[in-house]
Amino acid sequence: MAPPRKHDTDVILDATRTLVLTDGPRAASVAAIAEASGAPVGTLYHRFGNRNGVLTAAWLRALERFQRGVLAAADEHPDPVEAGVAMVSAALVFGRELPDDARLLLNLRVSDLLDGGPDDDFRARLSTMNAPLIGHLRRLATALFGRAGDREIDAVSRAVVDLPYAALRRHAHAPTRPDWLDTDLTSAARTLLTSYRPDRT
């Protein structure tokens, strides 16, 4: 069997994700991933180091895909309410267009996947990946409240992060998502964020 080409990393990560979602994290051994993806075991060890490396790569790929859309949406809008609503909308698009990645992020923590806990390299990478999103939450909090303390960031997070997260998790296993969900959630986020404005405009 010929080893996968470099651009077939997605095939390996797709197979890993499917194993985890279908049979649980323990089913995603290196041997099982190799069989499901068609990649030789040696290729997996060479490319990812070990089982933890494959699983964290699959999880981080899902996170990167989520953040790509949400951050792009936030960047398009200087107005804090519009930016927050756009971020919610982008999260919902992610859940609709990449449902398996959404299920991976919504239902499993990295610690659920790994043998042992996440290492320092993973934590550093996750912190780096999350920094732009946290930066936008701070920007929105500052624009709406005049400051970005813990309470203000938490308030913005309730509208921008918690609303879509809870809704996507509730509907993650449904065959289809209600047509009205996007409208209801973006409307709710807009109402909540607007209520934070000092002038309530």
Side-chain angles (χ1 to χ4, degrees), residues 24-25 39 77 84 86 91 105 113 117 140 148-149 153 182 187 194:
H77 297 280
L105 295 179
L113 300 175
L140 269 58
I153 293 174
D182 291 41
S187 177
T194 299

Side-chain angles (χ1 to χ4, degrees), residues 47-60:
R47 192 170 301 177
F48 299 101
N50 53 29
R51 174 185 178 275
N52 281 4
V54 187
L55 291 167
T56 56
W59 194 90
L60 288 171

Side-chain angles (χ1 to χ4, degrees), residues 20-35:
V20 169
L21 294 177
T22 302
D23 299 318
R26 293 303 100 198
S29 65
V30 170
I33 294 167
E35 181 178 357

Side-chain angles (χ1 to χ4, degrees), residues 4-5 8-18 33-34 36-40 43-44 47-48 54 58 61:
R5 300 179 300 276
D8 286 337
T9 295
D10 280 338
V11 173
I12 297 172
L13 299 184
D14 287 347
T16 303
R17 181 188 62 198
T18 298
I33 294 167
S37 66
T43 296
L44 297 184
R47 192 170 301 177
F48 299 101
V54 187
R61 183 188 65 166

